[in-house]
Amino acid sequence: VLAIGGVVYFASNLDSLIKTAVEKFGSEATKTKVTLSSVDLSLQSGAAALNGFRMGNPAGFKTDKAMSFGTVSIKIDPASLTSEIIVIKEVVISGPDITYESGDGGSNFDVIQKNVDAYAKSLGAGGGDKKEAEEEGGKKIIIEHLYVRDGKVALNSPLLLGKSVSVPLPDIHLKDIGKKEKGATPAQVAGKLMDEISGSIAGAGKAGVASAAKMAKDAMDGAKKMLEGAGSGAGNAVDDATKSIKGLFGK
């Protein structure tokens, strides 16, 4: 009876347990404040949705967040839930809203990436002690398809003089994460995803800053030409007025 009661309890509270785990381990790995509004999970269909994901910024950055997602939809192979390796058929992150802030020591995503890598190594993943990783235990994951779609990046850089520029984030499609290794730890999956997102953000950021810098230069060049034209016109007007005054005096 106690065993059945325990199963019923964990099944009925699985959504809140996942929410707590995402917030706890996400915050520890990134060294930011990670929050999640809710989790919807159906064990029978294997469908899940993570709603209202938000990641703050590391210490030292001015903007209030690094990224947020409205909904992350997940399709799990239900038959794998009782095995040591959980097979996730598809993960779709739609419309991520990302803030890329550059600073003297690199961007906020450079810092987050370093934090995630250090966290993975502390668990024996990503170049750490293999024996420690094996002793860590717990479930491993294979993700067959992971998509990041329709994202946007708000760029904040000293080059933009306090202004923010929004640019599209290139779509991301990752295949068979953890398949070659016969399962990956959550820390390894997080590291792989952050690698891809950081690379896409950096590319979008450089393009956006370059575009904004060109726009600013073009605007300054245009203003300079206008001022030069106005100065030339003013000079001609002064010359004409001087000639007229001299004519009045017969000179």
Side-chain angles (χ1 to χ4, degrees), residues 68-71 92-98 147-152 169:
S68 61
F69 312 141
T71 300
V92 180
I93 301 172
S94 298
D97 186 2
I98 294 171
Y147 300 93
V148 180
R149 296 171 174 161
D150 304 321
K152 63 179 180 179
L169 178 73

Side-chain angles (χ1 to χ4, degrees), residues 29 61-62 65 85 96 105 115 132 146 172 175-176 189 196 198 214-215 227 239 250-251:
F61 291 91
K62 298 178 181 178
K65 69 172 182 180
I85 300 175
N115 293 340
E132 184 181 352
L146 189 152
I172 297 171
K175 296 181 181 179
D176 297 328
V189 173
E196 293 294 329
S198 296
K214 184 178 184 302
M215 289 172 62
L227 289 172
D239 289 339
K251 296 180 181 179

Side-chain angles (χ1 to χ4, degrees), residues 131-176:
K131 183 178 178 182
E132 184 181 352
E134 291 172 350
E135 291 175 351
E136 180 192 350
K139 301 280 189 179
K140 290 193 173 183
I141 303 168
I142 291 175
I143 301 177
E144 294 182 353
H145 295 278
L146 189 152
Y147 300 93
V148 180
R149 296 171 174 161
D150 304 321
K152 63 179 180 179
V153 183
L155 305 174
N156 285 267
S157 167
L159 293 175
L160 302 177
L161 303 176
K163 302 295 183 181
S164 178
V165 175
S166 182
V167 296
L169 178 73
D171 289 352
I172 297 171
H173 180 199
L174 302 179
K175 296 181 181 179
D176 297 328

Side-chain angles (χ1 to χ4, degrees), residues 31-69:
K31 288 185 169 50
T32 69
K33 185 176 181 180
V34 172
T35 57
L36 192 63
S37 298
S38 63
V39 176
D40 298 319
L41 173 64
S42 170
L43 291 176
Q44 282 128 355
S45 66
L50 309 182
N51 305 308
F53 177 92
R54 189 178 188 279
M55 180 192 295
N57 260 324
F61 291 91
K62 298 178 181 178
T63 49
D64 63 346
K65 69 172 182 180
M67 73 171 107
S68 61
F69 312 141

Side-chain angles (χ1 to χ4, degrees), residues 211-224:
S211 176
K214 184 178 184 302
M215 289 172 62
K217 183 179 182 300
D218 290 345
M220 290 179 67
D221 289 345
K224 182 180 177 183

Side-chain angles (χ1 to χ4, degrees), residues 226-241:
M226 289 178 64
L227 289 172
E228 288 174 349
S232 176
N236 291 336
V238 169
D239 289 339
D240 291 342

